[in-house]
Amino acid sequence: MAEYLAEKMNLYDVQANKLDAFIAEYLQPSEEFCKNVQEAVNRICKFLKERCRMDARVIKTVKGGSAGKGTTLEDNSDADLVVFLNCFFSFQDQADKRERIIYTIEQNLKLCCQSVAFSVTIQPPKKKGKPPRSLTLTLQSKRKSEAVEVDILPAYDVLGQITHDSKPPEWVYVNLIETKGEPGEFCTCFTELQRNFVKHRPPKFKGLLRLVKHWYKEYKKKLKQTDPSSKLPSKYALELLTVYAWQEGTKEAEQFNTAEGFCTVMNLLLQYQDLCIYWTKYYDFKNSIIEAYVKKRLGEKRPVIMDPSDPTGNTAMGKGWNLLAEEARLCLTWACCKNKNEPVKSWDVQPARAIQVTVQDGRTRASLAKLTGSPYTAIQKIKESMGSKCCIPVSEMALTLQKPDSGTIDLQNEQTLASYGLFYDTTLLLKAQEMKINVRDYNSRSLVYTVSPNETVMDLKRKIEKRTGVVANQQRLTYNDQELDDTRMLASYKISSQDTVYLLLRLRGGHPSF
C-alpha cells in the first residue's frame, strides 16, 4: 500500500477507496511532530506566566486552532495560543487594551527570547493599517529543524471555568451583541467552545476534516501561482461546512464512507449561494435579543455559515466562493470522487437544514397545521399542503408573515421561505378570502353572510345570532342534507361562495322545529 501511495501523491489521482489510506499515510501528523508543536506552545505559555512583565496576570492559556482541535495536518505547524488576562473586564475592554498588551508581550520577547530555548522570529501584523489582534511568532527549535508558527491572542475571560458540554449563560451573548464590535471581533473569547465543537468528534471524522483542509490548502497554493491577488473564503468556514455535512449525512456516525463525505462537501460547495448553516449548541432563540440578532444574520446574503460559538461571526463572509465551487466541480471529475469510473454517491444533505412551519388561523391564531420542509420550499407548495389539510382551495387562501420590524408581509406563491430570510422554525398566518353564502331559515327567508372558509360553523352561528337574535346553541345548520358540526371549518364541508346553508331551530326538548 505504501508503495502504491508513494506513486500517487496528488489527491486527485488517489482512488476513492484509497482515501483512508492516503489520510493515514500523508495527512495524519506524526507523534514527533505533535510533540514539537506542544513543546513550542508550552515554552511560550511558561514565558508568559513567569517571565513576561506586564500590568496583567495570565488567568489561563488555551491552545486553539487545528492544534487544539486535534486536526493538524502533517505539513501544517501553526498553532493559536489564546491568553486570557485579568486586565480585561469586558469585550470593549479587550478592544481598547489589546494593542498595548500585544506591544508589551513583543517587547518582553525581544529581551528574553533566549530563555524559551527556541529561536524566535516576530512577524509583522497580518493586516496593515489596523491595530493588531495577535502577535505572530515563528519558533525554531535549537534541537530540531522544524519551525512552528504560533499566534498569541490576548482575550477577555468571559466564560471562566467551562466544561466540555457547558452552555454559556445568555447574558454573555447579550453583552457581546450590545458591544457592537465588528463581526467575529471577539471570537477568541470563545476559543474553548470552538475547540470543543470539533475536538471530541470521532477520529474518522477528523480524518475527513484533514482531507478537506488538505484539498483547500493545495488549491490555495495552486491559485497563488496562477492568480496571486485572488482571495478564498476562510478555512474555518470549510471546516464548519464539513461538520454540517457529516452531521446531516450520517447523524454523527463514527464509521462512514470517507469518499462519500468528501464528495458531499464538494457538492455543497457547488450550492454555495444557497448555504445557510447554523447551530444551537451554545446559543439559541430563547432570549429575545439573541433571537432577533441571529435571525437578522441568517437573513443576510448567502452563503451564511454561523460560528457555532459566536453569533456575530458569519464565517462565510468574503469573496472567492465561486473559485472554490469551480475547483470542487473539477475535483468531482477526478479519481478521488469515483468508483470504477462511476461518481461516488453523496449523502443526502441540503444546503440548509429542514425547518418546521406552524400555520395559524389569521383571525384566532389557533394552530391549523405543522409542516416540515426546506427553506427553499415554494409558498405555493405550502398552500397546497394546507389546502389538503383544511379543504380550502389554494386560490382562496393567503399566507402572511408577521415581522416585528416590518409589520405584515404577504408571501408570494412563486417565492420560497428563503426569499423572506426564513431559515429557522417559523409561524405563518393563513388568511382565506371572504365569500358570501346564503342562510335560509325555516320560514324560507334568506340572508347573505360574509364568511371565510377557515371560520368554524360556530363562528357562522354567532353571526346569525347577532343579526337575527336566534341564540347560537338553538340553531341547527345543514348543508347538502348533512348537519354541520360546530367545531369544524366551513371549508371542510366544501361550502363555496353563493352556496345555501339551511337554518333550523331546536326545541327545548331537543326536537327540531320545521
Side-chain angles (χ1 to χ4, degrees), residues 192-409:
E192 289 158 289
L193 303 184
Q194 291 177 342
R195 179 197 64 189
N196 293 343
F197 190 70
V198 173
K199 183 178 180 179
H200 302 285
R201 307 293 183 187
K204 191 171 178 67
F205 165 73
K206 291 183 180 180
L208 173 61
L209 198 53
R210 284 189 174 96
L211 185 64
V212 173
K213 288 167 64 176
H214 172 73
W215 172 83
Y216 173 90
K217 186 178 178 182
E218 290 300 300
Y219 175 57
K220 193 171 184 179
K221 284 197 293 189
K222 183 174 75 173
L223 190 65
K224 190 174 183 180
Q225 295 174 353
T226 57
D227 188 1
S229 62
S230 294
K231 301 292 184 182
L232 290 179
S234 72
K235 182 176 62 177
Y236 186 35
L238 210 59
E239 291 179 11
L240 293 177
L241 182 63
T242 307
V243 174
Y244 170 75
W246 170 70
Q247 288 179 326
E248 292 291 295
T250 73
K251 307 307 176 189
E252 303 195 13
E254 293 192 18
Q255 297 300 321
F256 55 86
N257 186 298
T258 299
E260 291 178 359
F262 182 64
C263 291
T264 301
V265 175
M266 295 299 108
N267 278 302
L268 284 171
L269 286 173
L270 299 183
Q271 306 172 73
Y272 72 91
Q273 291 175 311
D274 292 331
L275 290 175
C276 187
I277 301 169
Y278 66 98
W279 290 265
T280 55
K281 182 176 177 62
Y282 299 123
Y283 55 86
D284 49 39
F285 300 114
K286 293 178 182 178
N287 179 281
S288 60
I289 295 175
I290 301 172
E291 177 191 27
Y293 183 86
V294 174
K295 285 182 175 180
K296 184 177 180 181
R297 299 302 306 270
L298 293 176
E300 293 175 353
K301 183 179 178 181
R302 293 173 292 285
V304 172
I305 304 178
M306 298 293 288
D307 186 330
S309 69
D310 176 5
T312 72
N314 171 15
T315 65
M317 289 179 66
K319 299 179 181 179
W321 283 97
N322 60 319
L323 299 175
L324 276 186
E326 284 306 310
E327 186 67 14
R329 194 185 309 279
L330 174 65
C331 178
L332 289 166
T333 67
W334 284 88
C336 59
C337 295
K338 290 188 176 182
N339 279 325
K340 297 180 180 179
N341 295 322
E342 291 294 322
V344 171
K345 184 180 179 181
S346 295
W347 299 327
D348 182 17
V349 179
Q350 301 302 311
R353 283 192 176 91
I355 60 175
Q356 186 179 82
V357 178
T358 301
V359 181
Q360 295 181 345
D361 187 303
R363 301 172 302 104
T364 65
R365 298 301 175 97
S367 179
L368 300 176
K370 291 184 183 294
L371 310 172
T372 301
S374 163
Y376 301 101
T377 300
I379 303 302
Q380 174 77 16
K381 291 290 185 183
I382 298 176
K383 286 185 177 181
E384 290 172 359
S385 296
M386 289 305 303
S388 63
K389 289 178 179 291
C390 302
C391 302
I392 302 175
V394 172
S395 60
E396 294 183 6
M397 67 173 72
L399 285 174
T400 63
L401 172 67
Q402 189 76 38
K403 279 199 168 184
D405 55 345
S406 54
T408 301
I409 300 173

Side-chain angles (χ1 to χ4, degrees), residues 43-323:
R43 289 281 185 178
I44 293 298
C45 286
K46 186 175 181 180
F47 166 77
L48 291 171
K49 290 178 180 178
E50 298 178 3
R51 298 181 62 84
C52 185
R53 297 182 179 180
M54 55 182 170
D55 297 330
R57 179 176 60 84
V58 176
I59 300 172
K60 62 184 178 183
T61 58
V62 175
K63 184 169 64 175
S66 58
K69 297 170 187 173
T71 60
T72 303
L73 291 170
E74 173 62 40
D75 57 350
N76 188 343
S77 56
D78 61 306
D80 291 342
L81 179 62
V82 182
V83 184
F84 294 92
L85 301 168
N86 69 347
C87 63
F88 299 145
F89 298 100
S90 67
F91 294 111
Q92 190 58 53
D93 223 22
Q94 175 180 314
D96 294 339
K97 299 176 182 177
R98 178 172 47 203
E99 184 178 9
R100 178 175 58 82
I101 289 292
I102 289 173
Y103 176 77
T104 301
I105 295 174
E106 181 180 0
Q107 297 306 306
N108 274 266
L109 274 170
K110 288 179 178 178
L111 291 173
C112 308
C113 61
Q114 296 299 319
S115 66
V116 297
F118 277 77
S119 172
V120 180
T121 303
I122 301 174
Q123 298 182 18
K126 294 181 179 179
K127 290 186 178 180
K128 295 181 180 179
K130 286 189 175 183
R133 297 183 181 180
S134 64
L135 180 64
T136 302
L137 314 174
T138 300
L139 282 73
Q140 183 74 48
S141 173
K142 295 177 181 178
R143 293 180 288 107
K144 300 174 184 178
S145 59
E146 259 176 351
V148 177
E149 186 176 290
V150 179
D151 284 340
I152 300 176
L153 303 105
Y156 162 46
D157 185 27
V158 67
L159 298 179
Q161 297 300 316
I162 192 164
T163 61
H164 162 44
D165 290 323
S166 294
K167 192 167 188 171
E170 291 178 348
W171 66 262
V172 170
Y173 289 117
V174 171
N175 284 359
L176 174 67
I177 291 166
E178 292 180 342
T179 300
K180 297 181 179 179
E182 293 181 12
E185 180 177 358
F186 302 107
C187 64
T188 50
C189 300
F190 306 99
T191 299
E192 289 158 289
L193 303 184
Q194 291 177 342
R195 179 197 64 189
N196 293 343
F197 190 70
V198 173
K199 183 178 180 179
H200 302 285
R201 307 293 183 187
K204 191 171 178 67
F205 165 73
K206 291 183 180 180
L208 173 61
L209 198 53
R210 284 189 174 96
L211 185 64
V212 173
K213 288 167 64 176
H214 172 73
W215 172 83
Y216 173 90
K217 186 178 178 182
E218 290 300 300
Y219 175 57
K220 193 171 184 179
K221 284 197 293 189
K222 183 174 75 173
L223 190 65
K224 190 174 183 180
Q225 295 174 353
T226 57
D227 188 1
S229 62
S230 294
K231 301 292 184 182
L232 290 179
S234 72
K235 182 176 62 177
Y236 186 35
L238 210 59
E239 291 179 11
L240 293 177
L241 182 63
T242 307
V243 174
Y244 170 75
W246 170 70
Q247 288 179 326
E248 292 291 295
T250 73
K251 307 307 176 189
E252 303 195 13
E254 293 192 18
Q255 297 300 321
F256 55 86
N257 186 298
T258 299
E260 291 178 359
F262 182 64
C263 291
T264 301
V265 175
M266 295 299 108
N267 278 302
L268 284 171
L269 286 173
L270 299 183
Q271 306 172 73
Y272 72 91
Q273 291 175 311
D274 292 331
L275 290 175
C276 187
I277 301 169
Y278 66 98
W279 290 265
T280 55
K281 182 176 177 62
Y282 299 123
Y283 55 86
D284 49 39
F285 300 114
K286 293 178 182 178
N287 179 281
S288 60
I289 295 175
I290 301 172
E291 177 191 27
Y293 183 86
V294 174
K295 285 182 175 180
K296 184 177 180 181
R297 299 302 306 270
L298 293 176
E300 293 175 353
K301 183 179 178 181
R302 293 173 292 285
V304 172
I305 304 178
M306 298 293 288
D307 186 330
S309 69
D310 176 5
T312 72
N314 171 15
T315 65
M317 289 179 66
K319 299 179 181 179
W321 283 97
N322 60 319
L323 299 175

